[in-house]
Amino acid sequence: MSIKVQSVSKSYDAQLALHQISFSAKKGEIIGFLGPNGAGKSTMMKILTGYILPNEGEVSVNDIDVLSNAIEAQKNIGYLPEQNPLYVDMYVKEYLQFQASIFKVPKERVQEVIEQVGLTPEVHKKIGQLSKGYQQRVGIAAAILHNPEVLILDEPTTGLDPNQLQEIRTLIQKLGKEKTILFSTHIMQEVEAVCDRVIIIKKGELLLDKPLKELKESNEQSVEVTFDYKIEEQFIQKLPYLKSFKNNFDNTWYLTFDAQEDMRPVIFDFAQEQGLKILELSSQNQSLEKLFKEVTN
Ligand code: ADP
Ligand code: MG
């Protein structure tokens, strides 16, 4: 496993930041780590990268125990912290050479990462003169200097304009072809655009951990249907794939299904069997965004 987190809990004094979190990442996966502010995303990432210790639990990266062997584990990890601390007065190349010397990486590697993250046109500028998007590229370049197999990116797209955001997403996808990436965000569309898997946490609790494909395919359908006559609950319950039902007004039902097939024709047939007519019917596929709202609200 590239990343393995088992029953991790962490509190800052009385403040519980993570409660019994477990998840893992296979080699080459891109995982979106999603949650509202204060959910515990940064805390989880600091634990994964060996910068802070949990109160309980186990963490390994590339099968190296991070808690007992942080230095060795860090050789396998590239980390872009949330605020991306950079030396604004240093030139791009100078900064990366400085980082390379700290990590004992050969100087030639600097030119390679500059090309890899698309920094070439800005390479002679001071970091402080760069746009936020290019500054993020500098942070990502520094994180991949030692060619780690696992990348941990804490909100890499926060504060970027739409163009920069798209560029950084594309870069994440490109890096994800070779590396395992865990990146945090509070933007659902971003997860939809680049991830293989989504993990949602809220108030330190893990709420969801699923492949994106599964989420998209198992999209819950919700159907609102009005019949011409009243129908009893026990008949409604005969509908296949029914997950929930609600009847606010006499003849109108709010139904949700967990089905691959379109449930509308099934409901038409059902109505006919019951001797009812359908006066109105509307169906909606639950988007990921809606799911996110539901899970986090
Ligand atoms: P996120 O990155 O999802 O916004 P954080 O991991 O930064 O969440 O924070 C999780 C919770 O832990 C929050 O309630 C936050 O206030 C608290 N917290 C984070 N860091 C510290 C700290 N160094 N000291 C005290 N509380 C902290
Ligand atoms: Mg954070």
Side-chain angles (χ1 to χ4, degrees):
M1 279 293 167
S2 283
I3 296 175
K4 192 151 197 214
V5 174
Q6 278 174 290
S7 307
V8 162
S9 296
K10 170 76 184 174
S11 0
Y12 299 101
D13 302 318
Q15 172 74 47
L16 185 68
L18 294 173
H19 181 239
Q20 298 272 317
I21 300 290
S22 302
F23 65 90
S24 56
K26 286 189 232 120
K27 196 176 160 170
E29 262 188 317
I30 304 183
I31 300 183
F33 198 44
L34 203 62
N37 271 334
K41 303 182 296 295
S42 297
T43 299
M44 188 64 245
M45 291 181 151
K46 287 176 200 166
I47 292 172
L48 260 172
T49 50
Y51 290 102
I52 61 172
L53 288 170
N55 299 102
E56 271 176 56
E58 285 171 43
V59 183
S60 67
V61 169
N62 272 356
D63 300 319
I64 302 167
D65 181 14
V66 177
L67 308 182
S68 65
N69 208 351
I71 306 264
E72 203 50 43
Q74 282 164 356
K75 291 181 185 165
N76 295 266
I77 305 169
Y79 176 40
L80 178 73
E82 192 165 14
Q83 295 300 333
N84 185 12
L86 292 169
Y87 296 96
V88 288
D89 282 327
M90 279 181 112
Y91 289 89
V92 172
K93 203 163 190 176
E94 190 183 22
Y95 172 72
L96 291 172
Q97 277 164 353
F98 166 63
Q99 291 291 318
S101 66
I102 293 176
F103 289 110
K104 300 190 173 63
V105 170
K107 280 262 158 70
E108 304 80 71
R109 180 71 186 142
V110 171
Q111 192 51 40
E112 262 175 49
V113 298
I114 285 171
E115 283 162 25
Q116 212 178 344
V117 304
L119 264 171
T120 312
E122 306 289 291
V123 77
H124 299 294
K125 289 191 185 166
K126 273 188 178 178
I127 292 174
Q129 296 173 317
L130 300 178
S131 67
K132 184 98 200 306
Y134 274 100
Q135 290 186 351
Q136 287 300 69
R137 291 181 200 231
V138 175
I140 293 172
I144 62 171
L145 266 173
H146 58 304
N147 201 15
E149 207 177 287
V150 176
L151 266 185
I152 311 277
L153 309 174
D154 199 351
E155 305 219 11
T157 60
T158 297
L160 301 185
D161 71 32
N163 280 335
Q164 298 168 345
L165 203 129
Q166 189 49 51
E167 285 165 12
I168 296 297
R169 277 182 196 169
T170 308
L171 177 60
I172 293 173
Q173 277 177 310
K174 184 179 136 194
L175 294 170
K177 296 208 168 97
E178 298 163 6
K179 299 180 189 303
T180 308
I181 301 183
L182 179 74
F183 81 94
S184 64
T185 173
H186 45 254
I187 310 169
M188 189 69 216
Q189 291 93 318
E190 195 150 291
V191 172
E192 208 167 346
V194 300
C195 293
D196 303 310
R197 202 142 62 81
V198 48
I199 294 178
I200 301 182
I201 63 167
K202 185 191 180 184
K203 290 186 182 154
E205 306 275 354
L206 192 125
L207 298 182
L208 181 136
D209 176 358
K210 272 213 170 118
L212 192 72
K213 199 163 159 267
E214 217 172 279
L215 274 178
K216 280 184 171 166
E217 278 171 2
S218 76
N219 257 357
E220 218 176 78
Q221 292 173 47
S222 49
V223 176
E224 188 180 327
V225 56
T226 307
F227 300 108
D228 59 343
Y229 283 105
K230 201 170 158 58
I231 175 171
E232 296 300 325
E233 218 173 89
Q234 69 257 36
F235 291 109
I236 286 291
Q237 279 174 318
K238 287 185 181 163
L239 278 162
Y241 310 115
L242 190 66
K243 262 190 80 183
S244 71
F245 55 90
K246 204 161 73 189
N247 177 216
N248 287 348
F249 306 99
D250 267 356
N251 302 328
T252 298
W253 290 82
Y254 300 89
L255 311 170
T256 65
F257 300 90
D258 199 351
Q260 305 273 349
E261 64 179 300
D262 185 352
M263 290 307 289
R264 289 173 299 180
V266 179
I267 295 170
F268 273 107
D269 289 348
F270 167 81
Q272 207 166 21
E273 277 165 29
Q274 302 294 327
L276 296 168
K277 289 199 171 67
I278 288 175
L279 302 180
E280 250 183 279
L281 183 141
S282 65
S283 134
Q284 261 186 341
N285 269 3
Q286 289 214 332
S287 69
L288 280 170
E289 196 156 356
K290 209 168 150 208
L291 172 87
F292 176 58
K293 278 199 189 118
E294 230 166 67
V295 173
T296 54
N297 275 346

